[in-house]
Amino acid sequence: MTEPTAENLARRKSDHLDLAIRGDVGFRRTTTLLECVRFVHDALPDCAVSDLDTSVHVLGKTLRAPLLIAGMTGGNERARDINRSLAEVAEERGCALGLGSQRAMHKDPSVTKSYQVRDVAPNVLLLGNIGVVQAARMSNQEVEDLVGAVGADALCVHLNPAMELIQSDGDRDFRGGTETLARLAEALSVPVIAKETGCGLSRSVGQRLRKAGVRHVDVSGAGGTSWVAVETRRADAPGQALGEVLWDWGIPTAASVAQVAEVGFETVFATGGIKTGLDIARAIALGATVGGIARPVLQALDQGGIAGARAHLEAVEAQFRATLLLTGSRSVADLRRCPR
């Protein structure tokens, strides 16, 4: 494999943004299966909307609602504008924010500013991001420096073998991933979150992660944006052919959450096709701690600027509160116990 240059990484990031906003890159047949989770309606909730407590305590921070703007981008000026806009909204709405892969800033420190948002979001729960293959080649201090450079509260170490196989210059050697996660979970000053990228985590992988000392995961399941599809759209002919076959590869988000929830993680982020507050509630009922939204927020920002992203998240929170009321749940903890 030829290591991509900083210029190639920047171009890849720009391609990813274009495809995520406007491309036909959704799963074709696979759904999240969240639509299969049905709550039992409570016609006599005996509480007011003002009585509801949607807050959750996650990784040392209190979120106003169990909502994450999931990591998407970084590495060029366009990404900088997006990250700073989303950070401003996250700070205002009291939700968590994820950054895109910091691989680009490790290769080219001049793009570090595209990930730095603490000046506009001093209180937000901020998640850094690096690939497990890249982390395997880095020292503990190099990874710690990535965390410190952006002021992250935790580090997502992403697992993405499916999308890498489609890239002509993608990784082909995934050895040492478990050992790398174990090393970082023990050595870093912040929590490590093992994160998939649209293909989900199985129970068996969850068990291996827990044995390695990882206490937090992001399932990033199938059913929303297919990152195999994203890479297929920009691949060479062999990659396109492989991507067409694997387009719908992955574990649906609902199934992944249900599987890893049994393993005993402290935090389970549910991302992958989450679109509404009802989806977040469904994921929490299956065992998630927080639900994360990526593409719909990016599209809202693209179409309506910061005001558009703000309005979208306000609507998601309203949908989540409505679900609490209609299940007779006064809190997120109650929602986890409600009949379904």
PDB file of all heavy atoms in Angstrom, residues 9-24:
ATOM      1  N   LEU A   9      -4.990  13.343   1.090  1.00  0.00           N
ATOM      2  CA  LEU A   9      -5.903  13.278   2.231  1.00  0.00           C
ATOM      3  C   LEU A   9      -6.866  14.456   2.217  1.00  0.00           C
ATOM      4  O   LEU A   9      -8.064  14.300   2.485  1.00  0.00           O
ATOM      5  CB  LEU A   9      -5.116  13.256   3.539  1.00  0.00           C
ATOM      6  CG  LEU A   9      -4.436  11.939   3.912  1.00  0.00           C
ATOM      7  CD1 LEU A   9      -3.610  12.121   5.187  1.00  0.00           C
ATOM      8  CD2 LEU A   9      -5.463  10.824   4.104  1.00  0.00           C
ATOM      9  N   ALA A  10      -6.371  15.651   1.912  1.00  0.00           N
ATOM     10  CA  ALA A  10      -7.235  16.832   1.858  1.00  0.00           C
ATOM     11  C   ALA A  10      -8.285  16.681   0.768  1.00  0.00           C
ATOM     12  O   ALA A  10      -9.462  17.024   0.960  1.00  0.00           O
ATOM     13  CB  ALA A  10      -6.390  18.081   1.617  1.00  0.00           C
ATOM     14  N   ARG A  11      -7.862  16.145  -0.402  1.00  0.00           N
ATOM     15  CA  ARG A  11      -8.821  15.931  -1.494  1.00  0.00           C
ATOM     16  C   ARG A  11      -9.862  14.883  -1.095  1.00  0.00           C
ATOM     17  O   ARG A  11     -11.039  15.021  -1.399  1.00  0.00           O
ATOM     18  CB  ARG A  11      -8.072  15.484  -2.755  1.00  0.00           C
ATOM     19  CG  ARG A  11      -8.964  15.406  -3.988  1.00  0.00           C
ATOM     20  CD  ARG A  11      -8.196  14.938  -5.202  1.00  0.00           C
ATOM     21  NE  ARG A  11      -7.023  15.757  -5.455  1.00  0.00           N
ATOM     22  CZ  ARG A  11      -5.770  15.319  -5.355  1.00  0.00           C
ATOM     23  NH1 ARG A  11      -5.532  14.048  -5.009  1.00  0.00           N
ATOM     24  NH2 ARG A  11      -4.753  16.115  -5.596  1.00  0.00           N
ATOM     25  N   ARG A  12      -9.422  13.839  -0.395  1.00  0.00           N
ATOM     26  CA  ARG A  12     -10.343  12.802   0.061  1.00  0.00           C
ATOM     27  C   ARG A  12     -11.391  13.393   0.999  1.00  0.00           C
ATOM     28  O   ARG A  12     -12.580  13.081   0.898  1.00  0.00           O
ATOM     29  CB  ARG A  12      -9.575  11.682   0.752  1.00  0.00           C
ATOM     30  CG  ARG A  12     -10.443  10.525   1.231  1.00  0.00           C
ATOM     31  CD  ARG A  12      -9.666   9.551   2.103  1.00  0.00           C
ATOM     32  NE  ARG A  12      -8.563   8.927   1.387  1.00  0.00           N
ATOM     33  CZ  ARG A  12      -7.693   8.102   1.959  1.00  0.00           C
ATOM     34  NH1 ARG A  12      -7.779   7.826   3.257  1.00  0.00           N
ATOM     35  NH2 ARG A  12      -6.725   7.554   1.251  1.00  0.00           N
ATOM     36  N   LYS A  13     -10.948  14.250   1.913  1.00  0.00           N
ATOM     37  CA  LYS A  13     -11.886  14.879   2.851  1.00  0.00           C
ATOM     38  C   LYS A  13     -12.928  15.701   2.117  1.00  0.00           C
ATOM     39  O   LYS A  13     -14.115  15.676   2.455  1.00  0.00           O
ATOM     40  CB  LYS A  13     -11.129  15.765   3.844  1.00  0.00           C
ATOM     41  CG  LYS A  13     -10.157  15.038   4.749  1.00  0.00           C
ATOM     42  CD  LYS A  13     -10.859  14.085   5.676  1.00  0.00           C
ATOM     43  CE  LYS A  13      -9.875  13.431   6.637  1.00  0.00           C
ATOM     44  NZ  LYS A  13     -10.520  12.424   7.495  1.00  0.00           N
ATOM     45  N   SER A  14     -12.496  16.428   1.098  1.00  0.00           N
ATOM     46  CA  SER A  14     -13.427  17.242   0.327  1.00  0.00           C
ATOM     47  C   SER A  14     -14.413  16.368  -0.435  1.00  0.00           C
ATOM     48  O   SER A  14     -15.625  16.653  -0.473  1.00  0.00           O
ATOM     49  CB  SER A  14     -12.654  18.140  -0.644  1.00  0.00           C
ATOM     50  OG  SER A  14     -13.527  19.023  -1.312  1.00  0.00           O
ATOM     51  N   ASP A  15     -13.920  15.278  -1.017  1.00  0.00           N
ATOM     52  CA  ASP A  15     -14.805  14.329  -1.709  1.00  0.00           C
ATOM     53  C   ASP A  15     -15.838  13.751  -0.744  1.00  0.00           C
ATOM     54  O   ASP A  15     -17.026  13.622  -1.080  1.00  0.00           O
ATOM     55  CB  ASP A  15     -13.987  13.184  -2.316  1.00  0.00           C
ATOM     56  CG  ASP A  15     -13.151  13.608  -3.501  1.00  0.00           C
ATOM     57  OD1 ASP A  15     -13.369  14.713  -4.027  1.00  0.00           O
ATOM     58  OD2 ASP A  15     -12.259  12.827  -3.901  1.00  0.00           O
ATOM     59  N   HIS A  16     -15.376  13.382   0.446  1.00  0.00           N
ATOM     60  CA  HIS A  16     -16.283  12.813   1.446  1.00  0.00           C
ATOM     61  C   HIS A  16     -17.402  13.784   1.782  1.00  0.00           C
ATOM     62  O   HIS A  16     -18.569  13.388   1.910  1.00  0.00           O
ATOM     63  CB  HIS A  16     -15.510  12.447   2.711  1.00  0.00           C
ATOM     64  CG  HIS A  16     -14.669  11.219   2.578  1.00  0.00           C
ATOM     65  ND1 HIS A  16     -13.815  10.797   3.563  1.00  0.00           N
ATOM     66  CD2 HIS A  16     -14.561  10.307   1.577  1.00  0.00           C
ATOM     67  CE1 HIS A  16     -13.212   9.687   3.188  1.00  0.00           C
ATOM     68  NE2 HIS A  16     -13.645   9.369   1.976  1.00  0.00           N
ATOM     69  N   LEU A  17     -17.059  15.058   1.952  1.00  0.00           N
ATOM     70  CA  LEU A  17     -18.073  16.058   2.278  1.00  0.00           C
ATOM     71  C   LEU A  17     -19.096  16.190   1.158  1.00  0.00           C
ATOM     72  O   LEU A  17     -20.309  16.208   1.400  1.00  0.00           O
ATOM     73  CB  LEU A  17     -17.419  17.409   2.557  1.00  0.00           C
ATOM     74  CG  LEU A  17     -16.706  17.551   3.900  1.00  0.00           C
ATOM     75  CD1 LEU A  17     -15.917  18.846   3.951  1.00  0.00           C
ATOM     76  CD2 LEU A  17     -17.715  17.489   5.044  1.00  0.00           C
ATOM     77  N   ASP A  18     -18.621  16.292  -0.082  1.00  0.00           N
ATOM     78  CA  ASP A  18     -19.535  16.425  -1.219  1.00  0.00           C
ATOM     79  C   ASP A  18     -20.483  15.230  -1.298  1.00  0.00           C
ATOM     80  O   ASP A  18     -21.694  15.391  -1.507  1.00  0.00           O
ATOM     81  CB  ASP A  18     -18.752  16.545  -2.522  1.00  0.00           C
ATOM     82  CG  ASP A  18     -18.041  17.886  -2.654  1.00  0.00           C
ATOM     83  OD1 ASP A  18     -18.501  18.859  -2.032  1.00  0.00           O
ATOM     84  OD2 ASP A  18     -17.021  17.950  -3.364  1.00  0.00           O
ATOM     85  N   LEU A  19     -19.940  14.032  -1.130  1.00  0.00           N
ATOM     86  CA  LEU A  19     -20.759  12.826  -1.235  1.00  0.00           C
ATOM     87  C   LEU A  19     -21.717  12.703  -0.054  1.00  0.00           C
ATOM     88  O   LEU A  19     -22.867  12.284  -0.216  1.00  0.00           O
ATOM     89  CB  LEU A  19     -19.864  11.594  -1.332  1.00  0.00           C
ATOM     90  CG  LEU A  19     -19.133  11.442  -2.666  1.00  0.00           C
ATOM     91  CD1 LEU A  19     -17.990  10.437  -2.550  1.00  0.00           C
ATOM     92  CD2 LEU A  19     -20.108  11.010  -3.767  1.00  0.00           C
ATOM     93  N   ALA A  20     -21.252  13.072   1.141  1.00  0.00           N
ATOM     94  CA  ALA A  20     -22.115  12.981   2.321  1.00  0.00           C
ATOM     95  C   ALA A  20     -23.279  13.956   2.236  1.00  0.00           C
ATOM     96  O   ALA A  20     -24.390  13.658   2.696  1.00  0.00           O
ATOM     97  CB  ALA A  20     -21.301  13.249   3.585  1.00  0.00           C
ATOM     98  N   ILE A  21     -23.049  15.117   1.633  1.00  0.00           N
ATOM     99  CA  ILE A  21     -24.105  16.124   1.544  1.00  0.00           C
ATOM    100  C   ILE A  21     -25.087  15.807   0.432  1.00  0.00           C
ATOM    101  O   ILE A  21     -26.307  15.863   0.617  1.00  0.00           O
ATOM    102  CB  ILE A  21     -23.495  17.522   1.336  1.00  0.00           C
ATOM    103  CG1 ILE A  21     -22.707  17.952   2.582  1.00  0.00           C
ATOM    104  CG2 ILE A  21     -24.586  18.554   1.043  1.00  0.00           C
ATOM    105  CD1 ILE A  21     -21.877  19.210   2.385  1.00  0.00           C
ATOM    106  N   ARG A  22     -24.566  15.437  -0.743  1.00  0.00           N
ATOM    107  CA  ARG A  22     -25.445  15.345  -1.919  1.00  0.00           C
ATOM    108  C   ARG A  22     -25.401  14.004  -2.647  1.00  0.00           C
ATOM    109  O   ARG A  22     -26.196  13.772  -3.550  1.00  0.00           O
ATOM    110  CB  ARG A  22     -25.068  16.438  -2.925  1.00  0.00           C
ATOM    111  CG  ARG A  22     -25.172  17.850  -2.342  1.00  0.00           C
ATOM    112  CD  ARG A  22     -24.827  18.913  -3.380  1.00  0.00           C
ATOM    113  NE  ARG A  22     -24.785  20.220  -2.740  1.00  0.00           N
ATOM    114  CZ  ARG A  22     -23.704  20.744  -2.170  1.00  0.00           C
ATOM    115  NH1 ARG A  22     -22.571  20.060  -2.185  1.00  0.00           N
ATOM    116  NH2 ARG A  22     -23.744  21.930  -1.603  1.00  0.00           N
ATOM    117  N   GLY A  23     -24.495  13.129  -2.277  1.00  0.00           N
ATOM    118  CA  GLY A  23     -24.314  11.905  -3.037  1.00  0.00           C
ATOM    119  C   GLY A  23     -25.347  10.832  -2.724  1.00  0.00           C
ATOM    120  O   GLY A  23     -25.977  10.819  -1.668  1.00  0.00           O
ATOM    121  N   ASP A  24     -25.505   9.925  -3.672  1.00  0.00           N
ATOM    122  CA  ASP A  24     -26.356   8.744  -3.483  1.00  0.00           C
ATOM    123  C   ASP A  24     -25.492   7.677  -2.812  1.00  0.00           C
ATOM    124  O   ASP A  24     -24.928   6.803  -3.470  1.00  0.00           O
ATOM    125  CB  ASP A  24     -26.883   8.261  -4.834  1.00  0.00           C
ATOM    126  CG  ASP A  24     -27.705   6.982  -4.712  1.00  0.00           C
ATOM    127  OD1 ASP A  24     -28.124   6.655  -3.589  1.00  0.00           O
ATOM    128  OD2 ASP A  24     -27.901   6.305  -5.743  1.00  0.00           O
TER     129      ASP A  24
END
